[in-house]
Amino acid sequence: MLSLLMEGSCGKDGSTLHGCSIPLKNQSLGRWGSGGAPLIRAPEAAGTAGTGSRMCSTPSMGHRLNRVAVMGGTHGNELSGVYLVKHWLQDPSELQRRTFTATPFLANPKATKRCVRYISQDLNRSFTKAFLLSKGTKDDLYEVSRAQEINQLFGPRGSADAVDFIFDLHNTTSNMAACLISDSEKNVFTMHMCHYIQKHTQTPCPIYLYGLPGQENYSLMSVAKNSLGLELGPQPHGVLRADVSAHMRALLACGLDFIDLFNQGTSFPAFDMVAYKLIESVHFPRSPEGELLGIVHPQLQDKDFLPLKPGEPIFQLFSGEEIFYEGDVPIYPAFINEAAYYEKGVAFLKLEKSTFSIPPLEAPAASAP
């Protein structure tokens, strides 16, 4: 599961976004509301969810991408990426293209060896400036030291020396099939890659944009100049499924092909794109003592990226009562009942569906003879 939320946001890790949360209602809210999940109403995004159109104006790239990395095992119990990267470390031929060869890398080897998500803290939350610039000591958390090593090998982040592109491979227990993850629609190159992958695959690949205004990106992908997360499921943690691994392999191959085409001088026209932007996370109902009071409603379970309309149920309490979504417009839940988020109390993410106008991507300038 890709953890890509900003500090202070209200996202996958269960933190709050300006103190807001999803509006909820139930038949006897007063029995648990004050000590359970936050119940403050969240202002809806401007306009009607799913109908807004936004223009992206970031200029296109002007150079070839020569340094590309493929990361697996950022979370050590998400095994598709772990074992694909282990295979490619032995035989990288699948990562070779005419204009470049991607470098496979096992991001969190200690967590991978133990088949756990992390050792001390989530590696994908360890790339803030504070962590990356901290002075190393023997008492450092393992993932902080590992983040610094990765930043030195593939960065430094934000510098001209940083790698051109990182693919980060993840699994989810949620019913999301294949999801393409980026921080923002403003990265024109990555959005064109997502569009290319969507056109050349036979199954839906929704685009999830996790970035929030004014928040520092602390993910592993932020080390590179450009990046894309591949999130595939459903697959239990610590388990390998042949269909999920094959799907991940095919999506990565498509992304590598896109880079190769671009490097060979292919330009790509402008297009309109549908994507899902993070609004906030939604917590499980809990008692004042922190005990879970209910579960994801069966009508919501496995409905990732499908519209959740006002008045539809989201939780079923153990008492038999139901909690309903009480917003003014439909939202689009994702990472529903994700196992990795139980430690944060998060039941699902609340997303807004938007349409973006992506400008053309011009071919890189020809190299001097």
Side-chain angles (χ1 to χ4, degrees), residues 62-84:
H63 60 86
R64 289 171 38 143
L65 281 73
N66 298 314
R67 300 175 62 212
V68 178
V70 179
M71 302 287 183
T74 301
H75 296 133
N77 58 359
E78 297 176 10
L79 298 189
S80 294
V82 168
Y83 281 96
L84 287 175

Side-chain angles (χ1 to χ4, degrees), residues 28-37 284-293:
S28 58
L29 190 59
R31 293 174 56 186
W32 61 269
S34 61
F284 284 103
R286 293 183 180 273
S287 71
E289 295 76 31
E291 290 295 327
L292 202 66
L293 291 179

Side-chain angles (χ1 to χ4, degrees), residues 329-365:
V329 296
I331 55 104
Y332 295 80
F335 293 103
I336 298 172
N337 214 11
E338 162 59 41
Y341 294 165
Y342 268 72
E343 68 179 20
K344 301 296 184 181
V346 173
F348 61 90
L349 300 188
K350 176 182 174 183
L351 309 181
E352 173 192 12
K353 184 179 181 180
S354 298
T355 300
F356 300 94
S357 296
I358 307 299
L361 179 66
E362 301 298 332

Side-chain angles (χ1 to χ4, degrees), residues 61 63-70 95-103 163-167 189-190 192-194 196-197 226-228 251-268 361 363-364:
M61 300 179 61
H63 60 86
R64 289 171 38 143
L65 281 73
N66 298 314
R67 300 175 62 212
V68 178
V70 179
L95 305 182
Q96 295 174 356
R97 294 299 185 272
R98 177 180 173 184
T99 61
F100 71 97
T101 297
T103 300
V163 294
D164 295 311
F165 205 96
I166 281 178
F167 292 93
F189 186 86
T190 299
H192 274 272
M193 177 184 288
C194 290
Y196 181 86
I197 291 173
N226 308 275
S227 59
L228 182 65
L251 293 181
L252 177 64
C254 199
L256 296 174
D257 290 344
F258 175 81
I259 295 175
D260 198 34
L261 285 172
F262 176 77
N263 285 349
Q264 293 182 54
T266 303
S267 295
F268 298 88
L361 179 66

Side-chain angles (χ1 to χ4, degrees), residues 84-97 100-104 256:
L84 287 175
V85 163
K86 284 184 175 182
H87 167 69
W88 292 325
L89 286 168
Q90 299 299 316
D91 179 8
S93 59
E94 193 174 335
L95 305 182
Q96 295 174 356
R97 294 299 185 272
F100 71 97
T101 297
T103 300
L256 296 174

